[in-house]
Amino acid sequence: MTKEEIRKLAAETESELAPVFRRIDGISSANTEKVMDAFSRAHVSEACFVQTTGYGYDDRGRTVLEQVYADVFGAEAALVRPHFINGTHAIACGLFGVLRGGGRLLCATGMPYDTLVPVIFGDRGGSLKEYGVTSEVVRLTEEDGSFSAEKHMERLRKAVKEFRPSAALIQRSRGYDQRPTLSPDMIDRISREIKLLSPETRIVVDNCYGEFVAKREPKVSRTDGADLLCGSLIKNPGGGLAPTGGYTVGTKEAVEGAACRLVAPGIGGEAGSYAGGYRLFYQGLFMAPHTVAQAVKTAVFAAAVLSRLGYAVSPGAEDERFDIIQTVNFGRPEPLLAFMRGIQAGSPVDSFVTPEPWDMPGYDDPVVMAAGAFVSGASIELSADAPMREPYTAFMQGGLTFESGKLGILKALEFMAEQK
Ligand SMILES: *Cc1c(COP(=O)(O)O)cnc(C)c1O
């Protein structure tokens, strides 16, 4: 294809996507209203943006930001901190906060995300296992990779009855796996089912990549919902502006547990200063519903053009979405590498570098990554990762603006055309 043909295909595809984009705009509007109402109720003012130092007792910026997050997520309490270095850190604090030595953790939706494996099953560093927490995994998908909610629910009920977990972990996003992303409805159903059989089981949701993709988030409730939702601020809720950090929102008790783990028992969430000030966390949350919509449109656009070119994509362009991740199977290494290099060339930062596969620690196959972000490693910005193995799948996500996200995809198509 020539550059002109690619542009023509893009324009046609985009106009066909108008109804899908309208749906995404509707979700963004609803979530924007939710965020604005929370800002108003919490009386966000300029005083919330001042920098603080030292212990940070009575830090208004921190306290009000956490009030806003709790309100937006329908939770009693929140811990929103630059002191969480990433999503893994927030989820780990959440798990350690609800579990004690001798406890039992049920991974209710399959193997957890890679970075949580050493936290739960590791043999060093003070993992849950080393503290005497035993863990079990309920498979999410069938042996052939397909998903049946009923069969999963059957396995889940059996595991809850036999294993009698003190805590359960539910992962919303597919992460870097070929599995379905769970909707807030489905997560609520899983939480209800667990608590019906075992009311004392505390539930932690890994909400990474899911925030603001749908009109509502998983329900927080001590009796018939999750105790904690956790995620990263350099993904969806940071809106592309938060420079670092993570969050947990949930019941008072579960948030306090995570705070005691992040800081120290006896201090919990009552202290912590930030010399950078919290303005970008507020502004990022304000932007987040819109920014997430831009990323979702970018993913939908990629799904539509790449499936037109004959590649298998998931989810499909018209499918309802619950996270920002798009997978594309390229079938062969050459178009995958060309795609990754095009994404890199279409980034605002580091557009001149060439991504190469490398042997990343913890992975069996070489991995190639494309990203050129303002906030280092931020995956709400256009980025893609791909393990170099069958079926040569790219996992792509992000895009701060649809215009730039679309250009990134077009650049990738140009690289693929040149390589043929
Ligand atoms: C990103 C992510 C995490 C946490 O990753 P960090 O890089 O530590 O922020 C956890 N679970 C899922 C599903 C994720 O996508």
Side-chain angles (χ1 to χ4, degrees):
M1 275 200 302
T2 64
K3 196 168 168 175
E4 285 67 41
E5 285 166 338
I6 291 172
R7 294 286 162 132
K8 187 159 167 279
L9 171 70
E12 281 169 19
T13 307
E14 195 180 334
S15 60
E16 281 171 22
L17 288 173
V20 181
F21 282 16
R22 263 199 302 280
R23 202 165 71 206
I24 297 168
D25 289 336
I27 294 169
S28 172
S29 291
N31 283 324
T32 298
E33 190 171 355
K34 194 160 60 177
V35 169
M36 300 283 285
D37 286 347
F39 270 59
S40 167
R41 277 193 285 265
H43 291 193
V44 174
S45 68
E46 205 176 341
C48 299
F49 306 151
V50 300
Q51 304 168 343
T52 57
T53 56
Y55 290 124
Y57 295 119
D58 303 317
D59 182 324
R60 182 170 159 76
R62 189 194 71 225
T63 316
V64 172
L65 181 66
E66 291 179 343
Q67 230 173 298
V68 172
Y69 260 77
D71 190 348
V72 166
F73 285 87
E76 290 171 5
L79 192 67
V80 186
R81 304 282 163 122
H83 316 101
F84 281 128
I85 69 146
N86 56 21
T88 305
H89 190 190
I91 298 162
C93 287
L95 289 174
F96 275 101
V98 295
L99 282 156
R100 294 293 180 270
R104 290 175 304 278
L105 172 65
L106 187 68
C107 300
T109 55
M111 257 323 253
Y113 190 72
D114 287 329
T115 57
L116 289 164
V117 171
V119 174
I120 297 168
F121 305 99
D123 287 313
R124 47 194 291 270
S127 67
L128 285 170
K129 182 181 163 193
E130 279 194 317
Y131 276 97
V133 173
T134 44
S135 300
E136 246 188 52
V137 178
V138 176
R139 241 184 32 240
L140 181 67
T141 51
E142 304 309 305
E143 302 286 4
D144 64 358
S146 65
F147 173 65
S148 151
E150 296 320 313
K151 285 185 185 154
H152 171 248
M153 207 52 83
E154 242 169 67
R155 284 192 292 271
L156 181 71
R157 276 190 217 106
K158 185 161 181 284
V160 173
K161 282 182 201 148
E162 288 173 4
F163 185 58
R164 296 188 304 108
S166 24
L169 174 65
I170 299 172
Q171 182 179 313
R172 174 169 177 174
S173 170
R174 59 172 54 203
Y176 298 122
D177 259 331
Q178 304 262 19
R179 52 151 270 198
T181 293
L182 301 179
S183 66
D185 282 343
M186 183 69 81
I187 292 171
D188 291 355
R189 188 176 162 203
I190 294 171
S191 299
R192 262 201 317 275
E193 202 67 34
I194 292 173
K195 287 193 173 171
L196 202 65
L197 296 168
S198 173
E200 288 316 308
T201 303
R202 306 277 60 93
I203 297 176
V204 177
V205 173
D206 171 354
N207 205 29
C208 279
Y209 281 138
E211 301 90 352
F212 304 123
V213 175
K215 278 190 185 165
R216 64 177 198 90
E217 303 298 325
K219 180 177 176 179
V220 174
S221 159
R222 196 177 198 292
T223 51
D224 66 343
D227 293 83
L228 269 188
L229 314 178
C230 312
S232 164
L233 298 187
I234 65 166
K235 294 180 180 172
N236 306 13
L241 291 176
T244 186
Y247 77 90
T248 68
V249 295
T251 63
K252 266 206 177 78
E253 186 190 351
V255 169
E256 178 63 17
C260 286
R261 181 69 194 193
L262 172 67
V263 185
I267 298 172
E270 299 299 315
S273 66
Y274 188 51
Y278 287 93
R279 180 178 60 86
L280 290 173
F281 297 90
Y282 286 97
Q283 203 173 344
L285 179 63
F286 166 77
M287 292 297 297
H290 177 76
T291 307
V292 168
Q294 304 299 294
V296 174
K297 285 181 182 178
T298 302
V300 166
F301 177 78
V305 284
L306 286 156
S307 68
R308 272 186 166 208
L309 295 175
Y311 297 104
V313 300
S314 171
E318 316 261 330
D319 293 348
E320 199 176 1
R321 285 170 188 255
F322 304 105
D323 69 8
I324 62 170
I325 298 183
Q326 179 66 48
T327 64
V328 185
N329 293 353
F330 287 94
R332 293 184 300 123
E334 296 81 10
L336 171 61
L337 266 181
F339 176 84
M340 299 297 282
R341 288 176 177 161
I343 293 287
Q344 185 72 40
S347 301
V349 182
D350 292 336
S351 60
F352 50 88
V353 307
T354 305
E356 294 287 352
W358 64 297
D359 290 308
M360 215 175 125
Y363 290 84
D364 296 338
D365 303 281
V367 177
V368 58
M369 295 181 167
F374 292 101
V375 170
S376 185
S379 42
I380 186 63
E381 303 189 44
L382 184 64
S383 49
D385 306 76
M388 295 303 288
R389 62 163 179 254
E390 298 272 354
Y392 296 97
T393 302
F395 295 83
M396 61 150 280
Q397 66 276 315
L400 290 180
T401 66
F402 172 64
E403 295 85 340
S404 65
K406 179 175 68 177
L407 283 172
I409 305 297
L410 294 185
K411 194 62 110 179
L413 297 182
E414 285 170 27
F415 271 59
M416 288 163 63
E418 274 168 31
Q419 173 268 323
K420 269 182 189 158

